[in-house]
Amino acid sequence: MNELGSAAAKPPTAAPMPTAPTEAGWRRDVWPGIHWIQECGGHRAGIARAVLASGADWYAPGNELHVPQNAYLLAGERTLLWDTLSPASGHILLPALDELLGGRPLDYLALSHPDVPHAGNTMQVLRRYPDCRLVAPATGETHALYHLDDAMKVGPDDEIDLGGLRVRFPEATFLDAAIHTWMSEATTRTLFTVDWMGFPHQSGECLRRTDEIDTAVDVGRLEEFHSRVMFWFQYVVPSKVVAATDALATRFDGYGFAPAHGLPIPGEDAAPYYERLNEVVRRVAAGGRGGVL
């Protein structure tokens, strides 16, 4: 079966939103089989000032502004955790996992890349679930530095059948580190894009999908994140990046996004985001880096 799965497949409807964080931390079902664990993070006052100065209408003065970290637990007949949040939120991640798994084993821990916000709780997770198989990107030359030598290495031709869910590891179109992979899941038609497609949100929007908030995720909002994190866009030839983005849109047509630093975007809403990111690339290439995160 190819990466896109059945042409007739449609992304399922999400479970109801939580009204408040539980004792296990911030977590919810984002759609059946995929559980979302969020580290909302503290208020980013510097970014908030920049947003206000830009005149953006999606941010209300006085609200907190967050750049979240997200981890996702995929639960079929077997289970897989994608990324781990930062060490500051181990107290959120581990109780959430315990509650979501309900006594089931964690079969796989897959890391997108070894940056602290993504892999910072790896050892805590493996100590809690000692039979879990660590999964790491096959690409890169510094696996020993990050203690990933003994991990199961995966690349674009590899998949893991979770029983009811099936994940693959497409090459990351936009890398965040030398050791890096994205992930896709065919049944729910979800693309886990890591840093790319990230954006800030304000208080009241934690643990919400984009179709559950009242504010727009427009070009300016995406630019606030990408011009700081993927600032290398200032050095690119925009037409080449646009071509790569357009190819990605064709390959994953109908897939939703589950980014590491934004809010999940349902597949039926995903198509316009590719062109918004193309415009972000043009802006950053012309105007340079937007600041630091």
Side-chain angles (χ1 to χ4, degrees):
M1 197 173 200
N2 65 22
E3 183 78 43
L4 293 178
S6 170
K10 294 183 179 179
T13 302
M17 292 184 293
T19 57
T22 70
E23 291 181 359
W26 285 101
R27 55 143 188 84
R28 65 170 287 191
D29 295 351
V30 65
W31 30 75
I34 299 181
H35 309 283
W36 173 22
I37 307 169
Q38 185 179 65
E39 174 186 351
C40 233
H43 175 49
R44 301 298 186 103
I47 300 178
R49 287 192 293 271
V51 172
L52 288 172
S54 73
D57 59 7
W58 62 266
Y59 175 66
N63 279 354
E64 290 191 351
L65 188 144
H66 304 285
V67 178
Q69 340 249 56
N70 301 320
Y72 300 93
L73 177 68
L74 283 69
E77 296 173 15
R78 290 163 292 282
T79 59
L80 180 148
L81 177 66
W82 174 249
D83 279 354
T84 75
L85 309 182
S86 78
S89 289
H91 68 290
I92 290 176
L93 178 72
L94 294 175
L97 279 177
D98 288 347
E99 185 170 321
L100 289 168
L101 289 168
R104 297 180 62 190
L106 179 63
D107 295 295
Y108 299 96
L109 168 59
L111 302 178
S112 62
H113 62 304
D115 285 1
V116 168
H118 303 267
N121 288 304
T122 297
M123 297 314 298
Q124 288 195 65
V125 172
L126 294 178
R127 282 193 292 267
R128 180 70 65 92
Y129 302 98
D131 295 326
C132 178
R133 184 78 182 273
L134 183 62
V135 179
T139 57
E141 301 296 333
T142 57
H143 285 84
L145 176 63
Y146 298 107
H147 306 287
L148 298 178
D149 274 348
D150 295 330
M152 171 184 175
K153 306 298 195 314
V154 293
D157 295 326
D158 298 316
E159 69 174 48
I160 297 176
D161 184 355
L162 297 177
L165 299 175
R166 189 180 74 256
V167 298
R168 300 192 71 184
F169 301 90
E171 182 179 358
T173 304
F174 303 106
L175 279 74
D176 308 321
I179 299 175
H180 192 73
T181 186
W182 285 358
M183 187 174 75
S184 64
E185 199 291 304
T187 304
T188 59
R189 296 171 64 107
T190 304
L191 180 62
F192 299 81
T193 57
V194 198
D195 283 15
W196 190 76
M197 203 57 74
F199 53 90
H201 67 264
Q202 60 184 332
S203 47
E205 295 177 339
C206 292
L207 220 63
R208 301 291 188 262
R209 300 184 325 193
T210 54
D211 60 328
E212 298 165 344
I213 62 176
D214 296 327
T215 56
V217 184
D218 56 15
V219 171
R221 190 166 177 176
L222 292 163
E223 184 182 5
E224 287 295 342
F225 180 83
H226 290 79
S227 67
R228 299 166 188 273
V229 174
M230 309 195 86
F231 54 86
W232 52 265
F233 283 162
Q234 66 186 310
Y235 305 120
V236 305
V237 177
S239 60
K240 293 184 178 180
V241 179
V242 167
T245 304
D246 291 347
L248 191 67
T250 299
R251 182 180 180 189
F252 289 101
D253 181 33
Y255 271 55
F257 299 114
H261 300 295
L263 306 177
I265 302 166
E268 59 266 30
D269 300 332
Y273 282 85
Y274 290 101
E275 179 50 40
R276 289 171 199 166
L277 258 297
N278 282 340
E279 181 56 28
V280 167
V281 170
R282 298 183 189 104
R283 290 188 183 187
V284 177
R289 184 172 187 168
V292 297
L293 191 60

